[in-house]
């Protein structure tokens, strides 16, 4: 082969390196101008076998060459004619040719000619699309699952179930929930257009026997696909009320899927697509099934939650302190901030109750240690004992002893701290407080000048130990004074740094409330506490109970207020 | 009619300033008796009076106790008006609450009363209700929407937390109140579905065709993955201590409390400024706080010194130094 070339040419050195020549496999670029070798093959041949379609245009835009691949992609393209699809300008182009997806690159050739190199990207794009669709479905399921599991309210849940798949799965979605209890079928549906969600109730019996749609799926628990529907079929698939709605969206195909809820009869999801949407693909059908499974879990959780919540709420409501009664000669206000019920019932209680002695009334505050249903129940029992003892005329220490005696009978693991006291208001407006404090944070009191002092007690807590003796202490409150009772949830609340609020801060903040109406006072104390805690969670119930002895001249405002029929009559203004 | 109501403003202010509940209630009862609609009393008498109360507190004319007394009496008045005002049958149900960390419950009560007049059933949650509690009560509340009010911008991260829990269960959120900035500029950052200037606009939006029945989860915040603002909030205690030390000693104990509370708010506002990615909040706060301090005879330079002390301790927090410098420039 080398012999065909004069040894003096530029490649002459190759003759001295036969190995290098072998590597070139006989390739000779057709670049020798003076002595063109008879070609073993032509570039045209190469082009003919290329998978890339090549079309060469004259400067006027007529086709002057096209290879086999281009012919396949553009069957209507012929040499000598103009072809409108590949543009005459630009450097790249993406588009569709018949059912193929293509990508092209334009190169400018000599003399104003240009060529388009066109690649068929159909397979590549299909893979990409499938991947993207797969990712979208995953995101949709995850998002939907998250939203569904966060919702326990039955109505909101059905609303969500029918609106969530709007963009991803169907143009119209209905959820039908059968109830064996009342023999009704409740259907909720939401068109994708954002019009209000509709709810209809029909007899379960008639649906049950239906030859297709919800009724049949209820019986068979098998999904149904209706690739093409007419109005007659439509009317059998959905409740009568919804037919007009479906005609309006131009319903074309439907997918009816059972929702597994572990009940006797499943709930049923109906997905409908309009004539303008594509029919359901296999992947979309399995997405609908996956979605139905998530819906099933959510419906089940919601049902359990509602049942349990109703029971807890009934109990909790019984324990919530009622409004404070009006008492002569004093203003009382309280703040009660229980932590979430999900942590179990708390054991805090407080109340103001009557005594048989004229001008004397009683008050109590307490905390059964721990949380949970037994704690909550015992807390309401404790309050009842203190109240009954007070109305029977027992003195504070005696009441506490009765409570202690009751403790010896019950669960030995329960202990509580409490304060119970009597308040007698004298004709001159001042008051005398007589109280017992069993292990509870002792009360603070603020004199009319705004000085805050703490009472001191050493009595044990109420633990049902036989022979425990409780003492009593007296305190004279001049008009303008305030007594503050609080739970340890106040002083032991910790901020994010773990620092407790503490009695010192409470005393300081109480002093800053001098001169405020007693309702504003407890409100402000609660706020100061919460602001101090910042983002830190409140882990124990907060109770604040303030008793204020008003100045005498306030007595005149009391009857006026009652006459005024003030909306919340248990709270009154402070002295001016 | 309107001028009749606003004529009573001075007298009403005098009543609430003396914690004279009877006087204030009688005045309002008379207005209602004359046939003035309850919502007009709220918008033309109560809200302007509260604005005046805020100003008197800010200028130091009224003590904190007096301000609290006045708000307390106003609360009574609002209840009276709410009970005396007829409620048309309602088309939608909403829950009204304060942003977590905002204690202006009175504003929620007033807003709820104004919305009820416009045919929206509004249930008020007490201030201090957090995102967790909202998440627990919302599913059982039958509420179509949540309205979150915010009077102080430091509560905006709290508002964000509440918006997130509401939208996570698909309940759309409307926000309002001056805490969201002029024209509600921070409502979007908080993730709300809408912001309303006042009760009227709020009612129109809630009843309008564009208000969603069910919403998507709140969009994520791009600039927050580094949680810069948490870095500032966590240093609150040492920062306030450093700020107090940098300011000249104050003899008057009352001013000292205002100062300390103010520095706490300054740190929180700085954190929220970084949270919002907007220094305007902190600069505006600085202007306002400098005025409050001037009324209490604390020089502006003292605040500037405190800011320098903050900056020295926040060198590691991106954006904090620049924001502090920008605020320092207005001092
Ligand atoms: C009463 C009051 C208090 C009382 C609140 C008692 C209570 N139970 O609510 C107390 C004393 C506790 C208090 C505390 C504080 N307050 Co204060 N307070 C006020 C006051 C006087 C009235 C607030 C009110 O109820 N207004 C009634 C509402 C309805 O009126 P409005 O805002 O004009 O409402 C309209 C619109 O904003 C809108 N709107 C309002 N809310 C909502 C909600 C929604 C959802 C929508 C859609 C619309 C909307 O609609 C309304 C009209 O239609 C204001 C002064 C003022 N200018 O309002 C200061 C004020 C809000 N407070 C202020 C401050 C600084 C504080 C404190 C930090 C310090 C202090 N003063 O002790 C603490 C903050 C505690 C906290 N973290 O929240 C500042 C805020 C300044 C600022 N830019 O940050 C103000 C503006 C006073 C001032 N001029 O300086 N405050």
């Amino acid at each position: 082969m080398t012999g065909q070339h004069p040894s003096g040419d530029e490649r002459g050195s190759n003759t001295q390196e036969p190995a290098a020549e072998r590597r070139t496999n006989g390739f000779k670029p057709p670049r020798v101008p003076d002595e063109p070798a008879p070609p073993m093959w032509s570039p045209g041949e190469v082009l003919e076998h290329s998978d890339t379609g090549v079309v060469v245009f004259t400067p006027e835009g007529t086709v002057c060459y096209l290879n086999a691949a281009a012919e396949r992609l553009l069957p209507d393209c012929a040499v000598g004619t103009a072809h409108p699809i590949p543009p005459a300008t630009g450097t790249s182009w993406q588009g569709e040719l018949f059912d193929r997806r293509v990508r092209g690159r334009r190169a400018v050739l000599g003399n104003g000619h240009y060529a388009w190199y066109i690649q068929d990207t159909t397979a590549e794009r299909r893979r990409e699309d499938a991947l993207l669709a797969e990712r979208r479905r995953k995101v949709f399921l995850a998002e939907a699952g998250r939203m569904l599991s966060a919702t326990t309210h039955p109505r909101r849940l059905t609303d969500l179930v029918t609106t969530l798949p709007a963009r991803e799965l169907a143009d119209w979605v209905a959820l039908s929930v059968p109830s064996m209890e009342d023999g009704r079928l409740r259907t909720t549906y939401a068109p994708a257009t954002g019009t209000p969600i509709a709810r209809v109730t029909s007899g379960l019996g008639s649906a049950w026997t239906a030859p297709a749609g919800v009724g049949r799926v209820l019986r068979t628990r098998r999904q149904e696909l209706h690739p093409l529907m007419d109005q007659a079929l439509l009317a059998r698939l959905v409740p009568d009320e919804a037919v007009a709605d479906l005609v309006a969206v131009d319903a074309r195909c439907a997918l009816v899927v059972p929702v597994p809820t572990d009940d006797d009869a499943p709930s049923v999801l109906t997905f409908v697509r309009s004539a303008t949407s594509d029919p359901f693909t296999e992947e979309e059908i399995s997405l609908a099934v996956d979605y139905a499974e998530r819906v099933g879990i959510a419906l089940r959780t919601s049902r359990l939650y509602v049942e349990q919540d109703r029971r807890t709420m009934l109990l909790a409501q019984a324990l919530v302190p009622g409004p404070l009664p009006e008492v002569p000669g004093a203003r009382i206000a309280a703040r009660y901030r229980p932590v979430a019920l999900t942590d179990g019932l708390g054991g805090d209680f407080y109340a103001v109750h009557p005594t048989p002695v004229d001008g004397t009334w009683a008050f109590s505050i307490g905390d059964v240690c721990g949380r949970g249903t037994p704690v909550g129940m015992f807390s309401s029992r404790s309050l009842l004992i203190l109240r009954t003892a007070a109305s029977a005329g027992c003195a504070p220490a005696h009441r506490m002893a009765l409570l202690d005696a009751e403790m010896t009978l019950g669960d030995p693991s329960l202990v509580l701290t409490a304060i119970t006291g009597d308040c007698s208001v004298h004709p001159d407006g001042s008051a005398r407080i007589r109280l017992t404090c069993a292990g509870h944070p002792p009360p603070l009191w603020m004199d009319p000048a705004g000085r805050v002092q703490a009472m001191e007690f050493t009595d044990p807590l109420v633990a049902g130990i036989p022979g425990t003796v409780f003492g009593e202490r007296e305190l004279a409150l001049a008009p303008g004074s305030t007594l503050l009772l609080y739970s340890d949830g106040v002083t032991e609340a910790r901020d994010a740094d773990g620092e407790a609020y503490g009695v010192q801060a409470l005393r300081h903040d109480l002093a800053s409330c001098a001169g405020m109406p007693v309702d504003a006072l407890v409100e402000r104390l609660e706020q100061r506490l919460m602001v101090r805690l910042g983002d830190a969670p409140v882990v124990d119930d907060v109770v604040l109970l303030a008793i204020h002895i008003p100045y005498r001249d306030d007595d005149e405002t009391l009857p006026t207020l009652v006459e005024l029929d003030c909306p919340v009559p248990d709270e009154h203004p402070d002295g001016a | 009619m309107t001028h009749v109501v606003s004529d009573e403003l001075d007298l009403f202010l005098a009543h609430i300033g003396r914690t004279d509940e009877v006087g204030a209630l009688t005045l309002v009862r008379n207005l209602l008796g004359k046939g003035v609609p309850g919502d007009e009393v709220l918008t033309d008498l109560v809200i302007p009076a509260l604005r005046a109360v805020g100003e008197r507190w800010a200028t130091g004319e009224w003590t904190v106790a007096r301000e609290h007394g006045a708000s307390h009496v106003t609360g009574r008045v609002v209840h009276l008006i709410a009970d005396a005002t007829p409620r048309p049958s309602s088309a939608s149900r909403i829950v009204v609450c304060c942003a977590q960390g905002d204690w202006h419950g009175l504003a929620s009560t007033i807003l709820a009363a104004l919305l009820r007049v416009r045919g929206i059933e509004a249930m008020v949650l007490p201030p201090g209700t957090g995102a967790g509690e909202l998440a627990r009560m919302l599913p059982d509340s039958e509420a179509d929407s949540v309205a979150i009010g915010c009077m102080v911008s430091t509560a905006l991260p709290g508002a964000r937390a509440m918006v997130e829990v509401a939208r996570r269960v698909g309940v759309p959120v409307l926000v309002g109140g001056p805490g969201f900035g002029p024209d509600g500029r921070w409502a979007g950052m908080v993730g709300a579905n809408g912001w309303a200037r006042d009760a009227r606009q709020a009612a129109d939006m809630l009843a309008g065709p564009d208000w969603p029945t069910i919403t998507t989860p709140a969009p994520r915040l791009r600039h927050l993955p580094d949680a810069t603002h948490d870095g500032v909030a966590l240093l609150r205690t040492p920062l306030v201590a450093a700020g107090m030390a940098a300011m000249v000693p104050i003899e008057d104990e009352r001013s000292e409390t205002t100062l300390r509370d103010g520095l706490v708010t300054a740190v929180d506002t700085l954190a929220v400024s970084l949270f919002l990615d907007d220094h305007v909040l902190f600069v505006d706060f600085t202007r306002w706080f400098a005025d409050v301090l001037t009324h209490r005879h604390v020089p502006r330079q003292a605040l500037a010194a405190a800011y320098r002390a903050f900056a020295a301790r926040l060198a590691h927090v991106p954006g904090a130094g620049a924001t502090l410098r920008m605020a320092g420039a207005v001092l």
Side-chain angles (χ1 to χ4, degrees):
Chain A
M1 277 212 279
T2 43
Q4 289 176 7
H5 292 275
S7 57
D9 81 352
E10 53 179 319
R11 300 208 140 253
S13 55
N14 278 358
T15 49
Q16 279 125 37
E17 292 170 41
E21 185 197 325
R22 240 177 280 127
R23 245 184 282 125
T24 63
N25 207 14
F27 178 81
K28 296 284 180 222
R31 275 200 271 146
V32 190
D34 43 357
E35 229 180 293
M40 307 290 292
W41 45 269
S42 73
E45 246 180 300
V46 177
L47 283 176
E48 281 306 299
H49 290 291
S50 167
D51 287 335
T52 305
V54 181
V55 192
V56 181
F57 290 85
T58 63
E60 293 74 40
T62 23
V63 176
C64 57
Y65 169 79
L66 77 164
N67 67 355
E71 259 172 55
R72 279 195 303 276
L73 286 167
L74 302 163
D76 53 345
C77 184
V79 171
T81 62
H83 195 273
I85 294 183
T89 52
T91 52
S92 70
W93 165 64
Q94 285 207 20
E96 263 175 55
L97 292 173
F98 305 96
D99 56 345
R100 318 255 81 196
R101 293 267 197 61
V102 296
R103 184 171 56 219
R105 183 172 65 80
R106 197 179 78 113
V108 176
L109 309 176
N111 286 333
H113 286 60
Y114 60 91
W116 272 103
Y117 299 86
I118 305 171
Q119 255 160 355
D120 183 345
T121 54
T122 312
E124 187 186 318
R125 293 288 292 277
R126 199 174 286 149
R127 268 196 307 277
E128 264 172 37
D129 285 355
L131 272 175
L132 279 179
E134 177 65 28
R135 173 133 31 104
R136 255 212 343 263
R137 284 195 291 271
K138 280 222 177 84
V139 169
F140 164 74
L141 265 187
E143 193 88 311
R146 207 162 52 76
M147 284 185 86
L148 291 174
S149 63
T151 310
T152 45
H153 188 264
R155 185 182 62 97
R156 290 215 68 82
L157 184 59
T158 48
D159 286 4
L160 258 186
V161 167
T162 49
T163 43
L164 278 179
R167 258 159 307 146
E168 200 59 39
L169 265 170
D171 299 307
W172 188 97
V173 183
L175 173 71
S176 307
V177 181
S179 162
M180 293 302 163
E181 243 166 75
D182 61 1
R184 315 292 287 170
L185 181 68
R186 292 185 177 76
T187 302
T188 308
Y189 55 90
T193 46
T195 41
I197 290 166
R199 273 170 263 275
V200 298
T201 304
S202 45
L204 189 53
S206 57
W208 197 261
T209 53
V214 176
R216 200 173 149 237
V217 173
L218 278 174
R219 286 197 315 273
T220 62
R221 293 170 189 245
R222 294 238 169 75
Q223 72 201 48
E224 265 178 22
L225 178 66
H226 301 280
L228 210 64
M229 295 194 297
D230 53 19
Q231 199 160 334
L233 177 58
L234 233 164
R236 273 187 289 159
L237 286 182
V238 299
D240 298 345
E241 291 86 340
V243 173
D245 209 46
L246 279 182
V247 172
V249 296
D250 198 5
R252 197 44 52 90
C253 51
L255 176 64
V256 192
V257 184
V259 177
T261 52
D262 289 354
D263 289 316
D264 297 340
S267 294
V268 178
L269 271 169
T270 309
F271 302 93
V272 173
R273 286 194 171 177
S274 72
T276 50
S277 306
D278 295 329
F280 292 99
T281 63
E282 224 164 276
E283 289 83 9
E284 285 165 340
I285 293 175
S286 76
L287 177 64
V289 171
D290 284 348
Y291 179 68
E293 201 169 298
R294 302 263 188 308
V295 170
I297 295 171
L299 287 178
R300 213 157 49 211
T301 317
S302 157
R303 200 163 308 161
L304 285 176
Y305 172 85
V306 167
E307 268 164 34
Q308 201 177 13
D309 196 50
R310 198 164 290 152
R311 261 181 269 139
T312 321
M313 286 309 274
L314 275 177
L315 199 57
Q317 259 154 21
L319 297 185
V320 168
L324 293 171
E326 213 175 301
V327 293
R331 312 261 181 274
I332 310 176
R335 277 327 259 198
Y336 174 51
R337 219 191 141 74
V339 304
L341 268 184
T342 41
D343 296 345
L345 293 167
D348 285 82
F349 62 84
Y350 68 87
V352 170
H353 22 241
T355 75
V357 184
D358 231 15
T360 298
W361 43 270
F363 55 88
S364 302
I365 180 170
D367 182 3
V368 182
C369 305
R371 301 197 76 80
T373 309
V375 168
M377 308 256 285
F378 194 76
S379 134
S380 69
R381 205 156 102 213
S382 307
L383 191 56
L384 193 70
I385 292 166
L386 291 174
R387 170 187 289 273
T388 314
S391 51
C394 304
H398 188 191
R399 303 205 284 264
M400 202 65 90
L402 286 171
L403 182 56
D404 197 46
E406 178 71 17
M407 288 294 268
T408 57
L409 307 173
D411 182 345
S413 68
L414 292 175
V415 289
L416 70 89
T417 68
I419 295 176
T420 184
D422 287 345
C423 176
S424 321
V425 181
H426 301 298
D428 68 356
S430 69
R432 193 176 54 101
I433 306 259
R434 193 174 154 199
L435 57 80
T436 292
C437 175
H440 203 78
L444 297 175
W445 63 284
M446 178 160 66
D447 68 14
R451 280 186 298 262
V452 175
Q453 289 154 68
M455 294 183 77
E456 272 173 40
F457 287 92
T458 49
D459 292 277
L461 42 68
V462 186
I465 299 165
T468 310
V469 178
F470 297 98
E472 268 177 21
R473 216 162 270 252
E474 286 198 8
L475 180 70
L477 289 180
S481 315
T482 306
L483 182 73
L484 178 73
L485 307 157
Y486 59 92
S487 67
D488 61 356
V490 176
T491 41
E492 281 164 25
R494 283 169 195 282
D495 64 15
D497 298 334
E499 207 172 307
Y501 179 61
V503 185
Q504 243 358 77
L506 181 62
R507 288 179 69 153
H508 180 268
D509 286 342
L510 177 59
S512 79
C513 297
M516 286 182 194
V518 69
D519 310 83
L521 178 144
V522 285
E523 192 183 300
R524 178 169 158 94
L525 286 180
E526 184 198 11
Q527 261 167 47
R528 300 290 301 187
L529 168 66
M530 299 307 286
V531 169
R532 269 286 290 273
L533 296 191
D535 297 336
V538 182
V539 293
D540 197 2
D541 297 353
V542 166
V543 183
L544 290 160
L545 178 68
I547 300 171
H548 177 74
I549 309 301
Y551 289 108
R552 282 259 12 197
D553 56 357
D554 222 348
D555 289 354
E556 281 118 59
T557 64
L558 198 63
T560 339
L561 259 180
V562 173
E563 264 165 39
L564 268 170
D565 189 27
C566 180
V568 189
D570 57 305
E571 294 164 70
H572 294 293
D574 212 354
Chain B
M1 197 75 93
T2 302
H3 66 277
V4 179
V5 177
S6 41
D7 280 353
E8 307 281 0
L9 186 58
D10 286 340
L11 189 57
F12 183 72
L13 260 175
H15 285 314
I16 62 173
R18 270 187 276 117
T19 324
D20 179 0
E21 186 169 335
V22 181
L25 283 172
T26 312
L27 186 153
V28 167
R29 194 171 276 273
N30 284 341
L31 283 176
L32 295 173
K34 275 191 232 160
V36 181
D39 56 323
E40 203 175 307
V41 181
L42 285 175
T43 51
D44 297 348
L45 181 72
V46 174
I47 294 180
L50 282 172
R51 217 159 278 154
V53 170
E55 271 154 31
R56 284 174 196 198
W57 171 81
T59 57
E61 194 182 326
W62 282 12
T63 60
V64 176
R66 203 161 169 201
E67 184 207 3
H68 273 73
S71 330
H72 166 72
V73 174
T74 312
R76 288 274 160 280
V77 167
V78 172
H79 277 292
L80 172 81
I81 299 172
D83 283 3
T85 310
R87 304 174 179 189
S89 68
S90 38
S92 66
R93 278 170 300 238
I94 67 161
V95 164
V96 184
C97 54
C98 293
Q100 194 174 341
D102 178 12
W103 292 92
H104 293 89
L106 192 51
S108 318
T109 315
I110 295 177
L111 189 87
L114 290 172
L115 289 178
R116 282 189 204 114
V117 175
R118 293 177 169 81
I120 288 166
E121 194 181 314
M123 170 185 167
V124 183
L125 299 184
T129 304
E133 276 162 84
L134 184 68
R136 279 188 291 274
M137 67 75 57
L138 212 47
D140 295 311
S141 67
E142 302 255 314
D144 300 313
S145 305
V146 175
I148 300 177
C150 181
M151 306 293 283
V152 286
S153 304
T154 42
L156 287 178
R160 166 87 201 175
M162 295 174 95
V163 169
E164 277 176 6
V165 302
R167 290 190 61 163
R168 201 171 297 147
V169 292
V171 183
V173 183
L174 179 70
V175 297
F180 289 100
D183 298 321
R185 66 187 280 166
W186 298 307
M189 198 61 99
V190 160
N193 295 80
W195 171 84
R197 180 177 312 283
D198 53 24
R200 182 187 309 260
Q201 196 185 7
D204 289 347
M205 285 176 74
L206 289 170
D210 296 334
W211 192 250
T213 323
I214 293 238
T215 185
T216 50
R220 295 215 166 83
L221 293 177
R222 294 153 282 106
H223 67 284
L224 274 188
D226 60 347
T228 305
H229 64 294
D230 278 350
V232 178
L234 283 175
L235 289 176
R236 199 212 258 171
T237 317
L239 282 174
V240 171
M244 288 300 281
M247 295 175 95
V248 276
I250 314 285
E251 286 94 57
D252 180 6
E253 206 212 317
R254 200 179 276 162
S255 291
E256 199 198 288
T257 306
T258 311
L259 206 64
R260 186 177 292 277
D261 288 355
L263 283 189
V264 171
T265 315
V267 174
D268 290 347
T269 309
L270 177 61
V272 174
S273 231
L274 298 174
F275 166 81
L276 295 171
D277 207 10
D278 191 344
H279 63 264
V280 168
L281 174 66
F282 189 64
V283 174
D284 283 355
F285 162 80
T286 302
R287 250 187 227 114
W288 173 86
F289 188 39
D291 283 346
V292 170
L293 289 182
T294 309
H295 287 299
R296 286 163 176 75
H297 311 292
V298 178
R300 287 161 165 260
Q301 292 86 304
L303 188 57
Y307 281 10
R308 280 193 295 276
F310 289 176
R313 277 162 186 77
L314 291 175
H316 64 288
V317 177
T323 308
L324 281 165
R325 262 197 308 284
M326 233 152 338
V330 306
L331 292 172

